Amino acid sequence: MQKREYQAGDQVFVIYRNPHTPNVANITQGEIVQHPEHENEVALFLHESYHLLAEDDAVYDTFEEAEQQYKEIFDYEQYQ
């Protein structure tokens, strides 16, 4: 998947691991916003916190894209 340049105001979907329970992950909606401390950068606003975007972040334009990747990462169908 090719990473894209995000703009402030973009709505995105993120595969987010629960920091308190590492084996739990969810698809969560976030927003790309102007970074509050770095004037020329954008950040992911998620769960009332700002996160700098990294190359390996699981950020997707649509819920469907995030869900497809989620199913590939967490292949639950193998247990059915």
Side-chain angles (χ1 to χ4, degrees), residues 11 16 26 40 52 74:
Q11 298 294 312
Y16 179 80
N26 297 296
N40 297 324
L52 290 176
F74 303 101

Side-chain angles (χ1 to χ4, degrees), residues 19-62:
H20 306 290
T21 311
N23 62 341
V24 174
N26 297 296
I27 298 171
T28 304
Q29 187 172 8
E31 182 178 359
I32 304 298
V33 297
Q34 194 67 41
H35 193 286
E37 297 174 3
H38 304 279
E39 188 175 305
N40 297 324
E41 293 184 33
V42 293
L44 172 64
F45 189 68
L46 183 68
H47 299 295
E48 303 299 318
S49 297
Y50 297 95
H51 304 272
L52 290 176
L53 292 166
E55 190 65 33
D56 62 347
D57 285 342
V59 178
Y60 304 91
D61 294 333
T62 67

Side-chain angles (χ1 to χ4, degrees), residues 6-19:
Y6 291 101
Q7 303 295 321
D10 289 347
Q11 298 294 312
V12 294
F13 293 88
V14 181
I15 298 175
Y16 179 80
R17 285 189 181 264
N18 183 326

